[in-house]
Amino acid sequence: MPLVHIHGFGISGAYLMPTARVLAGRWLNVVPDLPGYGRSERRDHVLDIRALAGALLAILDALSIDQAVLIGNSMGCPIGLEVAHEAPERVDRLVLVSPAGGLQNQPLPRGLGQLALDVMRESPTMVPVALPDYLRFGPINGLRLFHQLTLFPSLERLLHTPVPTLAVLGGRDPLMPSPSRVGEVVRLASGHLAVALVERAAHAVNFSHPEELAKLIEAWLDGELLAGGAQLPAGVRVIHS
């Protein structure tokens, strides 16, 4: 079963490669640049989340991937959720790493403040990876897309996801809700949602903590995460309702 990694807004898939490389020991990993990002062709206008979901389905078609595990980070989570709702037969399982969007990031000034705080908490080694992408994407496009992200009904989509879903949060991520709120969401999700916490990570868990994230994904795909048989790395735990 291929694993398809979905990047966040304003940035290419390059920062997802550390986790993809760890997982490549067992599965085929695909890390595309969605239209308008990274090395893909520039667009006259910024695609919204629904259009990016359609573009991802087109990529799966072009690669003859009938079904995949989708692993999204930040904006990649709403894109993965849209694909799962639009074409659930194409998604075996869904991994949402730092699923941004919705009420937690509203109003826009609050969301921008959270984003600025996260920049200070990320690893400095991410700067040379991310900065060229953000400069190429442009601040105006970034602001427009982040505003769309704050309006996305993330909680509603998550609670009604038609496929098994794992959400992974960073303990130092200012864009995420409190642990008590997360526990409430787990309770409302009625068993189809598993949530884990990487305590020392900020928003870009895929880049800063690839070994921990890969272990979580591997344990979940193997059915060990919720069964209690998984040996999780230090600083990683499952959140219960």
Side-chain angles (χ1 to χ4, degrees), residues 23-219:
L23 292 168
R26 288 188 56 187
W27 294 280
L28 170 66
N29 285 253
V30 179
V31 188
D33 287 345
L34 294 173
Y37 296 81
R39 297 180 182 179
S40 67
E41 185 177 352
R42 294 295 295 270
R43 309 291 295 229
D44 293 333
H45 64 282
V46 176
L47 298 183
D48 62 17
I49 290 170
R50 184 165 187 172
L52 288 168
L56 181 59
L57 282 169
I59 290 171
L60 298 182
D61 290 340
L63 296 175
S64 299
I65 296 176
D66 295 327
Q67 192 177 57
V69 175
L70 301 184
I71 304 173
N73 171 252
S74 192
M75 184 191 72
C77 298
I79 294 170
L81 283 165
E82 282 295 295
V83 172
H85 280 272
E86 181 179 338
E89 74 281 359
R90 306 296 299 274
V91 183
D92 178 70
R93 288 188 242 184
L94 184 61
V95 181
L96 307 175
V97 184
S98 307
L103 290 174
Q104 173 62 21
N105 306 131
Q106 294 177 12
L108 180 60
R110 180 190 184 199
L112 292 173
Q114 293 168 335
L115 193 63
L117 181 57
D118 180 67
V119 169
M120 294 186 287
R121 293 182 178 180
E122 295 292 351
S123 168
T125 59
M126 190 170 167
V127 173
V129 178
L131 185 59
D133 287 338
Y134 285 127
L135 291 176
R136 182 174 182 269
F137 193 72
I140 300 301
N141 285 339
L143 184 61
R144 287 172 179 166
L145 196 53
F146 186 73
H147 186 226
Q148 289 182 22
L149 184 61
T150 66
L151 299 177
F152 184 81
S154 295
L155 180 58
E156 178 185 342
R157 289 287 197 275
L158 181 60
L159 292 178
H160 298 95
T161 304
V163 300
T165 302
L166 169 66
V168 182
L169 311 179
R172 301 180 66 245
D173 184 354
L175 287 97
M176 293 295 102
S178 66
S180 61
R181 176 57 176 157
V182 173
E184 182 182 347
V185 170
V186 173
R187 179 179 58 80
L188 292 172
S190 303
H192 74 277
L193 173 67
V195 180
L197 181 73
V198 181
E199 294 175 349
R200 297 180 63 83
H203 196 63
V205 187
N206 314 59
F207 181 84
S208 63
H209 292 74
E211 294 286 346
E212 291 90 337
L213 178 57
K215 288 285 188 183
L216 272 171
I217 293 172
E218 186 175 67

